[in-house]
Amino acid sequence: MKNFPVSFDILLYIVYMGDKKHDDPSVVTASHHDALTSVLGSKDEALKSIVYSYKHGFSGFAAMLTESQAEALAKFPEVITVKRNTFHKLHTTRSWDFLGLDYQPPQQSGLLQKAKYGEDVIIGVVDTGIWPESRSFNDRGYGPVPARWKGKCQTGEQFNTTSCNRKIIGARSYHRGISAESLKSDYNSPRDINGHGTHVASTIAGVEVQGVSVGGLASGVARGGAPRARLAIYKACWEGDGCPDATVLAAIDHAIHDGVDVLSLSLGGFGPEYSGTLHAVQRGISLVFAGGNDGPVPQTVTNTVPWVTTVAASTIDRAFPTVISLGNNEKLVGQSLMHNASLISSDFKDLIYARSCSAEFVASSNVTGKIVLCSAPAQAKFRPPRIAFGDALNQTLMAGAKGLIFAQYTTNLMDSLAGIERIMPVVLVDFEIAQRLISYFDTAGSPVVKFSPTMTVVGDGVLSPRVASFSSRGPSLAFPGILKPDITAPGVSILAARRDSYVLYSGTSMACPHVSAVTALIKSVHPDWSPAMIKSAIVTTALVTDRFGMPIQADAVPRKLADPFDFGGGHINPDRAADPGLVYNVDAKEYNNFFNCTVGLLDGCDSYQLNLNLPSIAVPNLKNQVTTWRTITNVGPVEATYRAVVEAPAGVAVSVEPSVISFTAGGCWPEDLRHSNDDGWRNLKDSGYGQSFSTRMGQSFNGQAAQLEGGRRTPAGMGVGAAPWQRWWIWTILYIVYMGDKKHDDPSVVTASHHDALTSVLGSKDEALKSIVYSYKHGFSGFAAMLTESQAEALAKFPEVITVKRNTFHKLHTTRSWDFLGLDYQPPQQSGLLQKAKYGEDVIIGVVDTGIWPESRSFNDRGYGPVPARWKGKCQTGEQFNTTSCNRKIIGARSYHRGISAESLKSDYNSPRDINGHGTHVASTIAGVEVQGVSVGGLASGVARGGAPRARLAIYKACWEGDGCPDATVLAAIDHAIHDGVDVLSLSLGGFGPEYSGTLHAVQRGISLVFSGGNDGPVPQTVTNTVPWVTTVAASTIDRAFPTLISLGNNEKLVGQSLMHNASLISSDFKDLIYARSCSAELVASSNVTGKIVLCSAPAQAKFRPPAIALQDALNQTLMAGAKGLIFAQYTTNLMDGLAGIERIMPVVLVDFEIAQRLLISYFDTAGSPVVKFSPTMTVVGDGVLSPRVASFSSRGPSLAFPGILKPDITAPGVSILAARRDSYVLYSGTSMACPHVSAVTALIKSVHPDWSPAMIKSAIVTTASVTDRFGMPIQADAVPRKLADPFDFGGGHINPDRAADPGLVYNVDAKEYNNFFNCTVGLLDGCDSYQLNLNLPSIAVPNLKNQVTTWRTITNVGPVEATYRAIVEAPAGVAVSVEPSMISFTAGGTRSVTFKLTFTAKQRVQGGYTFGSLTWSDQSTHSVRIPIAIRTVIQDFVADTS
């Protein structure tokens, strides 16, 4: 940078001199030096003064001058204008699919395909530079740089020649004139420290990048609109200084010289746009500018000269709804970006209403530790939402709040949340939602709320597009006769690259690159079209209605119907723009008169504005009558007739002459354009071209969330003046690299390919061997390796690599039950499934868990024959585990210690031996042999056995003390299980990341996989392991209870539940009873509980905290206070697992609130000295116990990952299950206990029907399940409060093994059909909703029914050859269901499979809630084949607009 003399009156001026007079740039520069020399007095002073010489596209310069020197230059005849340098702000991908530019075939006829994805179009980006290492700029598969390119790759700080490639074909930066402070906080090179330019460039032309998200939100594929275009980067914008005129003009000048086709400028109102930009357009370059982020205030649109395309911003069909749960069980929905799990508590927090959240209101409210509601409709008109939000955020953060609910008219403030989600949960709502919160606050005694994690919702459920509230509005202040903006495009919550990651930004800066990309695609299809023709095509084909035919709205205060000052011609429609039929062309020379008006060289400018042949008309001053002219050019069929259709502005009469125009072969072909004809469109009195120029206020709607582009951010850990690079430790992390089907049968060859891939990234074979942890080579190809992030990214670019994911760790999900299910071990039930399956004889069941305790009596192999010959596994020895630990029952055992922390290995056995007990419990539940006389301290006494007691067990220890169940070890276990030859694989563990890869390969090898669904219920959308090819299991109760008698001092006896079997703790003496309400620390401390039995009962508080947490708190408080017993009340009594171990310390009895109330009213409040005593717990089995019930802890649907896949699939016993742990037997609860029940039934069915596919077995289980209990009553689901169970609680219902063995019909899926679904999950395919809907599953979920949906299913007869089935429909509320055909007959010799169609039609338009039904095929005798149905109807507005 030049060192300029520091003087208050020396400033940077832009001197514009028009067209260059010489082709030689050096001669042009010399003329600049001469002009400066004549003013400054010497050549040396001139050389010191000049900053930029604009010599390629036009003539001019930027120089440091005093005001008088600038005035002197302005008098030179060759000088047109002299202006002070000004600084401009930056205007800051689902979006491309939303615009119809689907990347994948079969849309071969679309613009994207016609344009060959923008192949070799050169797009210049004037912005903050580029981060070249981003995956979005990979040049794999690109050919040579186009020969016409004349640019360069300018090197500099952290930017060398290799930073450019065949994608980024050129890069320049402009540092002269930038302050020293700005240069210190930025890279002095084209490298982008800010991220804005990288985001813009990747939105325009980024290559396809799979698996992108922001903390799991907006996940999918990131790509640009013209993914095969080339990029030319011009860094004219800098940290601190923004985008000075001088640097932007230098960038435009070079872009003209370099040979760009399109120039994209996502920056604020550019002063010298009247000069440099015009020269660019006259060289055939299309310029696209952002329109500004100062909306919804009128007259704020910038960059309004007629030869550029000015872009407004609008929303896409993606939202981020966040559920706000109230203490009264009501749920409301707002918008947020919360993806920091550590900040999202499952506990309720106090709600405080602080009105406007001004400093005074917050100071006068106790907001510390609470969630604050800020809502002041009456104040909204005084402060823009963005300012009010910023103030509220600062005030609540400083006051120690734990969350913020902020209300305003519209929710287009999402970008203001960027970074906040790492500090405090913030949810945006509209005032309607806020009012419901206020009503709750005013009526609840102790109002509380909690947030659920934010979700991503995409599609028709979101009202879109809408013009964003921040988008600057017309009319143009500078040129009121030029209608601006020209177009709107997606600019809200756009996912694109920033450095090495991907972020959501909003702004017209994000809308501008969308139009730039479409411009490039049209340029590719129509290379002879002028910039004006391309702009015309975009404007005239734009949409003014949304997908439902409703007028597009504009977010404002209040929301309104959009008009041309909001969105110009409308919302961009790329495919239509490629074939507009007619265009309004402008010879670029015609702009000269307009330009000369702007610099005062001509008069009569109103006429030039009115008659410029633009695809819009603005008449700012109609008095009586105005006439204007337009020329249209036919670019469509040679033979065509067009008729004028006028929508006249209110109060204005419009006439068009002629009103019918015909084009014929051989007609007029102006400007060498084919099939063209010129006709004057004469508009008497004013034409609005079918658009109103005045604001048409429509119905008021509350807003939906969006993001506003904020100011440029200082990168984490760096402030102004900090060094641009800091030293960081480079950490290696375990990554899972998935490569799909193995390419070789020989595992060693597969492993060698893994070593080769690693060697190419790490540099040596030795480093590769050190790095690799697991090679997955049997069932599929992939490996786990210790890598840095950059190494992982490098591997992800390999064509053979499908996904690269960081290793994650999963939690484990933790026998009367088999008798309860009807699988009675003893004859005479000779016809049952257990007997038909020969008790699971020789079925091999793999168990992926914490290992096995081989000495347990449950794994005795007495009476077993040889190990099945097909078994290929091994018995891996290790710590306290040798070859004799396996036998003919446990036929194989492996453990996976690589990648496990040293701490975990110290606290576990480094072998398949199970220190935890979970795996042993699961394995014995599945296939334990019969063990007599088992109990837990005398409780639950009887026979312990597994569901398939003659099955063989293969043990895979992938879960460890401390570390849990890492992806890498689980995947290794699945890989080996495929190789070893298991028939069924049981995985009682939390949501498994790579389930999309390894599990699919297992199913495609005929292995049935059964997963637990999770223990995070009863919260909706918590179910895990939800891919369609596995069976996902919920947990329910059995018909066994453990009643405990509570004797009162008045001889009354009440009954609760307990596990008291420690006789030394059960006193025969009465003890004092004390009531401590919720048993909080304060209440226990204020009560004298020492030596007493404490009653904890607080119904009003129960809705604030989950019962399990409340129980643990009460236990801790009472134990520490020296109590001798606890009676704990809650809505449900499914907390028995929380008592594990407590029975050895203190008697605890669980009661419901009814019993607690009797203790209080009937006894405690009336007795002078209330006393109680407990009797030992008993075991009760049979019809007296209400069962089954879905357990309160059982995770619920719908699936967050795949809402179109109904999960869970089934429920099975998972509460107080007695099974082996080490040498004893214990009661465990969890979906981990339910999963092995389904695994065993799956094994039995596999034994009876060895030729059935995993899908057929799953179908048999789901379609024969029970939805009523033994008394014909609907099964209930424990929750707060308890409810009737629906498919999101239990899938098809409660498992019925004997019926599952003979289902009559099954829904089969060829395992290859899952491939499309899998490809969707890794971003290789679009249209995933269709794959989910039509996958031949034994369930149907439609999460977004608007009007009508049709899906198809195929049923296969596995029952009697001659059979007729009739459809019985239980329609979800508000939905009509039709089945075609409704009767199906099977005959001997006929087809065994029949396809039918289901059509769902919404009968009413309601938002959000799911309703449930079923379809049953009945043969009127033996078989009823039932599948569950879940439908959610939605309307146009979503989330924050309505709840």
Side-chain angles (χ1 to χ4, degrees):
M1 177 178 170
K2 295 179 182 295
N3 293 315
F4 298 110
V6 179
S7 173
F8 71 94
D9 60 349
I10 295 182
L11 301 170
L12 189 60
Y13 284 83
I14 312 296
V15 179
Y16 173 60
M17 305 172 75
D19 286 320
K20 55 182 184 155
K21 302 298 188 292
H22 305 276
D23 290 332
D24 186 343
S26 64
V27 176
V28 179
T29 297
S31 70
H32 301 161
H33 292 163
D34 292 343
L36 272 172
T37 299
S38 64
V39 170
L40 302 183
S42 75
K43 186 72 172 282
D44 286 344
E45 290 300 319
L47 292 174
K48 290 178 183 177
S49 169
I50 198 164
V51 176
Y52 293 104
S53 173
Y54 310 129
K55 53 188 178 286
H56 300 293
F58 51 93
S59 178
F61 57 89
M64 301 300 295
L65 303 168
T66 64
E67 185 176 0
S68 60
Q69 291 166 346
E71 290 174 349
L73 276 168
K75 296 175 182 177
F76 281 39
E78 66 269 31
V79 171
I80 297 175
T81 60
V82 178
K83 294 182 179 180
R84 280 181 56 174
N85 185 42
T86 56
F87 297 81
H88 309 285
K89 295 184 296 182
L90 293 162
H91 289 163
T92 298
T93 33
R94 169 70 191 162
S95 53
W96 292 115
D97 294 337
F98 177 60
L99 293 179
L101 291 179
D102 188 356
Y103 191 79
Q104 301 290 344
Q107 192 201 8
Q108 294 296 342
S109 61
L111 171 59
L112 194 59
Q113 288 74 21
K114 289 177 181 176
K116 298 179 181 178
Y117 305 92
E119 186 80 45
D120 285 351
V121 176
I122 302 172
I123 305 173
V125 181
V126 180
D127 213 286
T128 62
I130 195 82
W131 193 267
E133 294 81 8
S134 171
R135 291 175 288 167
S136 289
F137 309 125
N138 189 303
D139 68 347
R140 186 182 297 119
Y142 279 73
V145 173
R148 69 184 186 280
W149 175 245
K150 300 177 183 178
K152 63 181 286 189
C153 186
Q154 178 183 320
T155 61
E157 185 180 5
Q158 298 290 334
F159 202 95
N160 53 41
T161 53
T162 62
S163 299
C164 296
N165 57 16
R166 289 170 297 179
K167 180 70 177 179
I168 304 170
I169 62 173
R172 300 177 186 263
S173 65
Y174 306 90
H175 69 273
R176 298 199 300 275
I178 301 302
S179 68
E181 291 76 12
S182 284
L183 288 176
K184 285 179 182 177
S185 58
D186 205 330
Y187 296 105
N188 194 348
S189 73
R191 182 171 290 277
D192 178 16
I193 201 170
N194 178 285
H196 189 279
T198 302
H199 195 282
V200 166
S202 62
T203 302
I204 297 174
V207 300
E208 190 178 49
V209 180
Q210 305 284 344
V212 169
S213 73
V214 177
L217 299 178
S219 60
V221 177
R223 64 177 173 87
R228 296 290 295 174
R230 313 295 182 122
L231 285 168
I233 304 303
Y234 301 92
K235 179 175 176 176
C237 303
W238 299 78
E239 286 292 282
D241 280 2
C243 316
D245 284 341
T247 61
V248 175
L249 206 52
I252 294 171
D253 182 44
H254 271 131
I256 295 171
H257 166 269
D258 293 346
V260 304
D261 299 303
V262 178
L263 200 54
S264 184
L265 301 98
S266 286
L267 46 90
F270 177 51
E273 60 186 347
Y274 315 150
S275 50
T277 56
L278 177 55
H279 287 277
V281 169
Q282 289 177 335
R283 301 295 180 90
I285 301 171
S286 292
L287 279 88
V288 185
F289 272 90
N293 298 331
D294 297 314
V297 180
Q299 297 181 302
T300 53
V301 65
T302 62
N303 300 312
T304 59
V305 290
W307 47 84
V308 305
T309 303
T310 308
V311 187
S314 49
T315 63
I316 62 172
D317 61 343
R318 181 173 61 203
F320 302 102
T322 298
V323 175
I324 307 168
S325 299
L326 313 188
N328 62 0
N329 295 324
E330 186 177 6
K331 289 179 170 55
L332 305 174
V333 180
Q335 293 269 326
S336 185
L337 289 177
M338 292 190 293
H339 56 79
N340 187 340
S342 64
L343 293 178
I344 305 169
S345 172
S346 61
D347 295 335
F348 283 92
K349 287 187 169 60
D350 290 339
L351 174 68
I352 189 76
Y353 174 39
R355 291 170 175 78
S356 66
C357 287
S358 63
E360 295 76 20
F361 274 119
V362 171
S364 63
S365 308
N366 179 16
V367 306
T368 304
K370 299 177 181 177
I371 292 176
V372 184
L373 171 62
C374 302
S375 179
Q379 302 295 315
K381 57 187 176 185
F382 301 135
R383 289 191 302 166
R386 294 195 291 274
I387 295 174
F389 173 66
D391 290 347
L393 192 59
N394 290 335
Q395 296 300 328
T396 51
L397 271 173
M398 289 189 297
K402 291 298 182 183
L404 172 64
I405 303 171
F406 183 80
Q408 85 272 278
Y409 274 105
T410 60
T411 50
N412 265 340
L413 297 177
M414 296 293 283
D415 199 51
S416 300
L417 302 183
I420 298 299
E421 75 280 355
R422 298 190 294 270
I423 303 170
M424 181 175 76
V426 178
V427 180
L428 305 176
V429 299
D430 59 31
F431 285 122
E432 179 184 349
I433 298 296
Q435 191 58 43
R436 294 171 64 179
L437 281 163
I438 293 167
S439 297
Y440 165 66
F441 179 86
D442 290 341
T443 56
S446 300
V448 293
V449 296
K450 67 176 178 180
F451 300 144
S452 298
T454 299
M455 300 168 285
T456 302
V457 173
V458 175
D460 288 349
V462 184
L463 178 64
S464 57
R466 295 195 318 273
V467 178
S469 61
F470 59 75
S471 186
S472 291
R473 311 298 165 94
S476 164
L477 272 177
F479 313 116
I482 304 298
L483 200 155
K484 291 285 178 171
D486 295 298
I487 196 75
T488 191
V492 176
S493 298
I494 302 302
L495 183 66
R498 181 186 185 273
R499 297 198 176 193
D500 296 321
S501 62
Y502 290 80
V503 296
L504 293 168
Y505 278 175
S506 294
T508 53
S509 280
M510 282 63 255
C512 173
H514 283 83
V515 178
S516 301
V518 173
T519 298
L521 295 177
I522 297 173
K523 182 82 172 177
S524 181
V525 174
H526 303 289
D528 56 340
W529 281 14
S530 68
M533 296 172 76
I534 295 174
K535 173 181 171 179
S536 171
I538 289 171
V539 172
T540 60
T541 59
L543 300 171
V544 295
T545 58
D546 64 18
R547 291 158 294 166
F548 312 109
M550 301 293 290
I552 291 174
Q553 299 181 24
D555 282 341
V557 187
R559 182 179 293 168
K560 58 189 282 288
L561 295 180
D563 61 51
F565 289 151
D566 300 312
F567 64 7
H571 190 261
I572 193 168
N573 187 330
D575 279 334
R576 283 188 58 196
D579 182 21
L582 305 173
V583 292
Y584 294 78
N585 191 24
V586 181
D587 185 324
K589 294 177 182 177
E590 294 178 19
Y591 294 124
N592 287 337
N593 283 339
F594 179 92
F595 172 77
N596 289 334
C597 283
T598 67
V599 295
L601 297 178
L602 279 179
D603 297 325
C605 293
D606 288 347
S607 173
Y608 291 124
Q609 290 186 37
L610 184 64
N611 290 303
L612 201 54
N613 199 47
L614 301 176
S616 58
I617 298 172
V619 181
N621 53 359
L622 177 64
K623 290 187 177 183
N624 296 304
Q625 188 178 85
V626 167
T627 299
T628 184
W629 299 81
R630 289 292 187 273
T631 299
I632 49 176
T633 301
N634 182 17
V635 292
V638 175
E639 305 276 348
T641 297
Y642 290 85
R643 290 174 172 80
V645 180
V646 175
E647 179 190 349
V652 178
V654 181
S655 67
V656 181
E657 299 176 18
S659 60
V660 178
I661 297 174
S662 294
F663 297 90
T664 59
C668 183
W669 293 23
E671 302 179 12
D672 297 322
L673 291 173
R674 59 187 178 83
H675 319 322
S676 60
N677 194 358
D678 288 13
D679 283 273
W681 280 32
R682 191 175 185 195
N683 302 325
L684 303 178
K685 294 188 177 178
D686 178 41
S687 167
Y689 188 61
Q691 304 290 340
S692 166
F693 301 150
S694 60
T695 302
R696 293 176 291 151
M697 300 304 293
Q699 182 179 357
S700 172
F701 295 90
N702 288 324
Q704 150 148 357
Q707 253 176 292
L708 171 70
E709 178 196 8
R712 295 173 299 281
R713 297 177 183 83
T714 302
M718 297 179 63
V720 175
W725 287 91
Q726 296 187 8
R727 181 176 179 182
W728 298 89
W729 293 106
I730 299 176
W731 295 97
T732 59
I733 298 168
L734 189 58
Y735 283 85
I736 313 295
V737 180
Y738 173 60
M739 305 171 77
D741 286 320
K742 56 182 183 155
K743 302 298 187 290
H744 305 277
D745 291 332
D746 185 344
S748 64
V749 177
V750 179
T751 297
S753 71
H754 302 163
H755 293 163
D756 291 343
L758 273 172
T759 298
S760 65
V761 170
L762 302 184
S764 76
K765 185 71 171 285
D766 285 346
E767 290 299 318
L769 292 173
K770 290 177 185 176
S771 168
I772 199 162
V773 176
Y774 294 104
S775 175
Y776 310 128
K777 52 188 177 285
H778 301 294
F780 50 94
S781 177
F783 56 88
M786 301 299 294
L787 303 167
T788 65
E789 185 177 1
S790 62
Q791 290 166 347
E793 290 174 350
L795 276 168
K797 296 174 183 177
F798 281 38
E800 66 269 28
V801 171
I802 296 176
T803 60
V804 178
K805 296 180 179 179
R806 281 183 60 168
N807 187 40
T808 56
F809 299 82
H810 308 285
K811 294 183 295 184
L812 293 162
H813 290 163
T814 299
T815 45
R816 168 69 190 165
S817 55
W818 292 115
D819 293 339
F820 177 62
L821 294 179
L823 292 179
D824 188 353
Y825 191 78
Q826 299 295 338
Q829 192 201 9
Q830 295 296 336
S831 61
L833 171 60
L834 194 59
Q835 289 72 25
K836 290 177 181 176
K838 298 178 181 178
Y839 304 92
E841 185 80 45
D842 284 351
V843 176
I844 302 173
I845 304 173
V847 181
V848 180
D849 214 286
T850 61
I852 195 85
W853 194 267
E855 295 81 8
S856 171
R857 291 174 289 167
S858 289
F859 309 124
N860 190 304
D861 68 348
R862 186 180 298 114
Y864 278 74
V867 173
R870 70 184 187 280
W871 175 245
K872 299 177 183 177
K874 63 182 286 190
C875 187
Q876 178 182 319
T877 61
E879 186 180 2
Q880 298 291 325
F881 202 95
N882 53 42
T883 53
T884 61
S885 298
C886 296
N887 57 16
R888 288 170 296 178
K889 179 68 176 179
I890 304 170
I891 63 173
R894 300 177 185 262
S895 66
Y896 305 89
H897 68 274
R898 297 199 301 277
I900 301 301
S901 67
E903 292 75 12
S904 285
L905 289 175
K906 285 179 183 177
S907 59
D908 205 328
Y909 295 105
N910 194 348
S911 73
R913 182 171 291 278
D914 178 17
I915 200 170
N916 178 286
H918 189 279
T920 301
H921 196 282
V922 166
S924 62
T925 302
I926 297 174
V929 301
E930 190 178 51
V931 179
Q932 303 286 341
V934 170
S935 72
V936 178
L939 298 178
S941 60
V943 177
R945 64 177 173 87
R950 296 289 295 174
R952 312 292 182 125
L953 285 167
I955 304 303
Y956 301 91
K957 180 175 176 176
C959 302
W960 299 79
E961 286 293 283
D963 279 2
C965 315
D967 282 341
T969 60
V970 175
L971 208 52
I974 294 171
D975 183 44
H976 272 130
I978 295 171
H979 167 269
D980 294 346
V982 304
D983 300 304
V984 178
L985 200 54
S986 184
L987 301 98
S988 286
L989 47 89
F992 176 50
E995 60 185 345
Y996 314 149
S997 50
T999 55
L1000 178 54
H1001 288 277
V1003 169
Q1004 289 176 335
R1005 301 296 179 90
I1007 301 170
S1008 291
L1009 280 88
V1010 184
F1011 272 90
S1012 55
N1015 299 332
D1016 297 314
V1019 180
Q1021 297 181 305
T1022 53
V1023 64
T1024 63
N1025 301 312
T1026 58
V1027 288
W1029 48 84
V1030 307
T1031 303
T1032 308
V1033 186
S1036 48
T1037 63
I1038 61 173
D1039 62 342
R1040 180 172 61 200
F1042 302 101
T1044 299
L1045 202 63
I1046 306 170
S1047 300
L1048 311 187
N1050 62 359
N1051 292 323
E1052 187 177 3
K1053 289 177 171 55
L1054 304 174
V1055 179
Q1057 293 266 327
S1058 185
L1059 291 176
M1060 290 190 296
H1061 56 79
N1062 189 339
S1064 64
L1065 293 177
I1066 305 169
S1067 172
S1068 60
D1069 296 333
F1070 282 95
K1071 286 186 168 60
D1072 289 339
L1073 175 68
I1074 186 75
Y1075 173 44
R1077 293 174 173 80
S1078 66
C1079 287
S1080 65
E1082 296 77 14
L1083 288 170
V1084 170
S1086 64
S1087 308
N1088 180 15
V1089 306
T1090 304
K1092 300 176 182 178
I1093 291 176
V1094 183
L1095 170 62
C1096 301
S1097 178
Q1101 301 296 315
K1103 57 190 174 184
F1104 305 142
R1105 289 189 302 167
I1109 294 174
L1111 171 62
Q1112 291 304 315
D1113 288 347
L1115 275 171
N1116 292 335
Q1117 296 301 327
T1118 52
L1119 272 172
M1120 288 190 298
K1124 290 299 182 182
L1126 172 65
I1127 303 171
F1128 183 81
Q1130 87 271 279
Y1131 274 105
T1132 61
T1133 53
N1134 259 344
L1135 296 177
M1136 300 295 284
D1137 200 52
L1139 302 183
I1142 297 298
E1143 75 279 356
R1144 297 190 295 270
I1145 303 170
M1146 181 176 74
V1148 178
V1149 181
L1150 304 176
V1151 298
D1152 59 27
F1153 285 122
E1154 181 182 348
I1155 297 295
Q1157 194 65 14
R1158 290 172 63 181
L1159 274 166
L1160 286 170
I1161 296 174
S1162 301
Y1163 183 58
F1164 183 81
D1165 290 342
T1166 58
S1169 300
V1171 292
V1172 296
K1173 70 175 179 178
F1174 301 142
S1175 299
T1177 300
M1178 301 172 286
T1179 302
V1180 173
V1181 174
D1183 290 347
V1185 182
L1186 177 63
S1187 58
R1189 297 193 315 274
V1190 178
S1192 59
F1193 59 74
S1194 185
S1195 291
R1196 312 297 166 93
S1199 163
L1200 268 178
F1202 314 116
I1205 305 298
L1206 199 156
K1207 291 285 179 172
D1209 295 298
I1210 196 76
T1211 191
V1215 176
S1216 299
I1217 302 302
L1218 182 66
R1221 182 186 185 274
R1222 297 199 176 191
D1223 295 321
S1224 62
Y1225 290 81
V1226 295
L1227 292 168
Y1228 279 174
S1229 295
T1231 54
S1232 280
M1233 282 62 255
C1235 173
H1237 283 82
V1238 177
S1239 300
V1241 173
T1242 299
L1244 296 176
I1245 297 173
K1246 182 81 172 177
S1247 181
V1248 174
H1249 302 289
D1251 57 338
W1252 281 13
S1253 69
M1256 296 171 77
I1257 295 173
K1258 174 181 171 180
S1259 172
I1261 290 172
V1262 172
T1263 60
T1264 59
S1266 301
V1267 294
T1268 59
D1269 63 19
R1270 290 160 295 164
F1271 310 109
M1273 299 294 291
I1275 292 174
Q1276 299 182 24
D1278 281 342
V1280 185
R1282 184 177 292 166
K1283 60 188 281 287
L1284 294 180
D1286 60 52
F1288 288 154
D1289 301 312
F1290 64 7
H1294 191 262
I1295 193 167
N1296 188 327
D1298 279 333
R1299 284 190 57 201
D1302 180 22
L1305 305 174
V1306 293
Y1307 293 77
N1308 191 22
V1309 181
D1310 184 325
K1312 294 178 182 177
E1313 294 178 21
Y1314 295 124
N1315 287 338
N1316 282 339
F1317 181 92
F1318 171 76
N1319 288 335
C1320 283
T1321 68
V1322 295
L1324 298 178
L1325 281 179
D1326 296 323
C1328 296
D1329 288 346
S1330 174
Y1331 293 126
Q1332 292 185 33
L1333 184 64
N1334 291 303
L1335 203 53
N1336 199 45
L1337 302 176
S1339 59
I1340 296 172
V1342 181
N1344 54 357
L1345 177 64
K1346 283 184 173 295
N1347 296 303
Q1348 190 175 84
V1349 165
T1350 297
T1351 185
W1352 301 81
R1353 290 292 187 273
T1354 298
I1355 47 178
T1356 300
N1357 183 17
V1358 293
V1361 175
E1362 303 276 348
T1364 297
Y1365 288 85
R1366 289 176 173 80
I1368 302 170
V1369 175
E1370 179 191 350
V1375 179
V1377 182
S1378 67
V1379 182
E1380 299 176 25
S1382 60
M1383 185 174 72
I1384 295 173
S1385 293
F1386 298 93
T1387 58
T1391 180
R1392 304 291 288 170
S1393 297
V1394 174
T1395 298
F1396 62 92
K1397 178 176 73 172
L1398 292 101
T1399 302
F1400 302 99
T1401 305
K1403 295 194 295 185
Q1404 57 190 31
R1405 299 175 70 80
V1406 279
Q1407 173 65 43
Y1410 278 91
T1411 57
F1412 305 97
S1414 65
L1415 167 66
T1416 302
W1417 289 102
S1418 174
D1419 65 0
Q1420 310 299 309
S1421 59
T1422 306
H1423 302 106
S1424 290
V1425 187
R1426 180 186 181 276
I1427 63 172
I1429 298 170
I1431 306 286
R1432 180 175 61 186
T1433 57
V1434 294
I1435 57 176
Q1436 293 166 13
D1437 285 306
F1438 190 72
V1439 277
D1441 294 304
T1442 63
S1443 61

